[in-house]
């Protein structure tokens, strides 16, 4: 994450990083928790959730671009975008992990963590929250004819 200085408009930015950087960090975090997901699976979950977010809100990188932007591992996310997208990424990864663990149970392995149905419910709940969290409008005021 990078905290950027004032851009001259009184706005300060925080850049979370590229999707590949965030996926690598998230992979380390999940590996320490005992998850068996590959970094590529986590990156695919990131891309899927960024596409979902883009359906509800413009990404910051779009606002100053004159050419189409690919949603891939090189896309840079702002910190505020990351905090909205991250719960869906987590729930998506939980669902993938639950499916892997449930598959290992069918081969006689001990299961742990959420079941697939629990993970699906959590994922659906997070997907429902995203539009509400993505729609953020800065404060504004109306001026009347009297100037008040």
């Amino acid at each position: 994450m990078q905290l950027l200085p004032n851009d001259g408009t009184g706005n300060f930015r925080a850049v979370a990083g590229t999707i590949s950087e965030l996926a690598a960090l998230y992979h380390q975090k999940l590996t320490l928790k005992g998850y068996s997901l590959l970094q590529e699976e986590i990156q695919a979950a990131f891309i899927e959730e960024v596409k979902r977010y883009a359906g509800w809100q413009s990404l910051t990188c779009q606002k100053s671009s004159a050419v189409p932007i690919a949603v891939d591992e090189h896309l840079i996310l702002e910190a505020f975008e990351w905090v909205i997208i991250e719960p869906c990424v987590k729930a998506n990864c939980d669902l993938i992990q639950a499916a892997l663990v449930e598959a290992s149970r069918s081969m006689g392995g001990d299961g742990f963590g959420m079941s697939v149905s629990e993970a699906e419910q959590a994922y659906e709940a997070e997907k429902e929250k995203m539009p509400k969290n993505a729609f953020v409008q800065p404060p504004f005021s109306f001026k009347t004819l009297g100037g008040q």
Side-chain angles (χ1 to χ4, degrees), residues 29 59 98 108 119 128-129 135 138:
K29 177 181 175 181
L59 292 162
E128 287 177 15
K129 290 178 193 175
F135 185 73

Side-chain angles (χ1 to χ4, degrees), residues 37-58:
L37 301 179
L38 300 173
Q39 186 170 333
E40 293 78 23
E41 292 170 314
I42 296 170
Q43 187 168 294
F46 263 91
I47 291 170
E48 179 181 344
E49 301 310 329
V50 168
K51 288 178 181 178
R52 183 181 322 284
Y53 176 81
W56 295 107
Q57 181 64 273
S58 299

Side-chain angles (χ1 to χ4, degrees), residues 20-111:
S20 63
E21 293 168 346
L22 295 170
L25 290 171
Y26 214 66
H27 179 256
Q28 289 175 346
K29 177 181 175 181
L30 292 179
T31 301
L32 291 174
K33 292 171 86 176
Y35 280 52
S36 57
L37 301 179
L38 300 173
Q39 186 170 333
E40 293 78 23
E41 292 170 314
I42 296 170
Q43 187 168 294
F46 263 91
I47 291 170
E48 179 181 344
E49 301 310 329
V50 168
K51 288 178 181 178
R52 183 181 322 284
Y53 176 81
W56 295 107
Q57 181 64 273
S58 299
L59 292 162
T60 302
C61 62
Q62 287 177 274
K63 295 178 182 174
S64 62
S65 178
V67 296
I69 299 170
V71 179
D72 60 14
E73 67 274 7
H74 304 294
L75 185 77
I76 298 172
L77 294 176
E78 298 280 328
F80 77 91
E81 295 165 337
W82 161 241
V83 298
I84 295 170
I85 294 167
E86 190 269 337
C88 279
V89 172
K90 180 188 179 306
N92 195 337
C93 289
D94 288 345
L95 178 57
I96 297 167
Q97 176 67 17
L100 291 172
V101 169
E102 199 161 291
S104 73
R105 284 186 197 137
S106 69
M107 298 184 325
D110 271 345

